Amino acid sequence: MSRKASLSGFHEWLPAERLVEQHVLDTLRRTFELHGFAGIETRAVETLGQLLRKGEVDKEVYAVSRLAEDEEVAAGRREAKDPADPKRLALHFDLTVPFARYVVENAGHLAFPFRRYQMQKVWRGERPQEGRAREFTQADIDVVGDGELSPRHDADVALVMAEALGALPIGDFLIRVNNRKLAEGFYRGIGLTDAAGVLRSIDKLEKIGADEVARLLQEEVGASPEQARQALALAAIRTEDVSFVEQVRALGVSDPLLEEGLAELADVVETLHRRAPGRAVADLSIARGLDYYTGTVYETVLVGHEQLGSICSGGRYDALASKGNRVFPGVGLSIGVTRLVMRMLSQEMAQASRSVPTAVYVALTADEDWSEAQDVAALLRERGIPAEVAVSAEKFGKQIKYADRRGIPFVWFLGRDDAGARVHEVKDIRSGDQHPADPADWTPPAEDLLPQVTRTESTEG
């Protein structure tokens, strides 16, 4: 991971690194499907009008244009488009907004509640840094209802993500949960009407500290020193169980929306505490910057790597997808796969046992054996054993060295006995063990069949 990308913010993995990423994606897909989520893929582009309906990411969006159109503008044959033209095309910056559009357009073909997972590239014009890229992969799960959606799904998606992350070689993690109704009701109860502004300031708490957030609350949303103190007191509450409810009530603030949020968060935290102990906490500092969240919100950190920021986040959105009077409320979580893999590789948290899928390299004794060597490889592949064949009969030492350099564990030899009959032998080039083998039934040890991705014993915190 010390290599410098030739185009900043756009990562390209080496084969062994790609195997780690693929392992992450395969593990997530397998877990999502076990929980009944159906895979979909949406187009890479949306209109600006669609993308910018919610949230504050307009300066991070990559707009798309045709070179021919740009040339016509430069030549004066066409007027330049307004950069903010809502019909202009742009690359999607997350998968939730495109998914909301997908649900609306395909509502007549979907069975609700609709459970979907999606693993795709997204693009965001941020300044590249540790954990942030301009092109990156996200893995999302969402449950969307038609008109209504049981709050039980809020806990369900978090449990699925806890299981998925727990199956990865990343060590401990913590899902931090809050509720926007709770926060907004509390702010309303202390007289702060610009809830979105307060949330934006609170969202910066870990980056800039309580004193600076207090200053922002007073300067940007008009909070008094006492209101700022109360908002920060709420954000300081963090519990592993539902004891946060009494801590909030002890602050002496009342509001119907606050009570609704407390009840919803208590249900989620109680379920997570019972079914995934040690994996989640109620953390009332979690705000989530995007405006479309309306209830439960989540952020997930790697224990010992908190400076990386959230590796998995999301929440409840009740009004993002609508069609006339028909509303499709949803709840979902998104894993920043590229951010996670970058940390796994840079901190050597996990490694692949080899850099290629090939388990067996079929060597050539003579060039005329090439066709028969292909038959051997075909027999192995029929039984799911990845194999490739040498293209020329070089010295065995050179062929073995080639296999070793690529990380292939076994080399297959075709020979003949004294009577001229064909014989086969396979060599484990790591141990030097070599013995007769039949391509119709020989199988490598299970751990050598495919590359294995495992957590390393020693990782940096």
Side-chain angles (χ1 to χ4, degrees), residues 235-246:
I237 295 174
R238 177 171 170 162
T239 68
E240 295 183 357
D241 53 25
V242 296
S243 59
F244 71 89
V245 175
E246 291 308 314

Side-chain angles (χ1 to χ4, degrees), residues 234-271:
L234 179 73
I237 295 174
R238 177 171 170 162
T239 68
E240 295 183 357
D241 53 25
V242 296
S243 59
F244 71 89
V245 175
E246 291 308 314
Q247 292 187 34
V248 172
R249 288 186 174 139
L251 296 176
V253 177
S254 62
D255 184 89
L257 189 61
L258 168 62
E259 290 301 319
E260 188 178 339
L262 279 171
E264 289 181 3
L265 184 58
D267 285 344
V268 171
V269 171
E270 184 178 25
T271 299

Side-chain angles (χ1 to χ4, degrees), residues 59-135:
K59 291 182 175 62
E60 300 174 357
V61 173
Y62 281 108
V64 177
S65 63
R66 294 183 301 113
L67 287 178
E69 184 176 306
D70 293 343
E71 290 173 358
E72 290 172 357
V73 170
R77 296 193 300 271
R78 176 195 290 262
E79 288 188 10
K81 284 186 177 179
D82 179 355
D85 182 354
K87 295 181 180 179
R88 191 177 184 186
L89 297 181
L91 296 172
H92 57 219
F93 60 83
D94 76 354
L95 299 179
T96 304
V97 173
F99 175 57
R101 189 263 313 156
Y102 176 95
V103 168
V104 170
E105 292 183 357
N106 295 283
H109 305 282
L110 302 176
F112 294 96
F114 177 50
R115 299 165 71 86
R116 92 67 162 95
Y117 77 88
Q118 189 172 350
M119 298 190 290
Q120 264 182 265
K121 296 278 192 184
V122 298
W123 296 267
R124 196 174 297 177
E126 297 184 306
R127 182 175 65 85
Q129 54 185 298
E130 170 71 10
R132 290 190 181 274
R134 289 172 171 165
E135 178 185 67

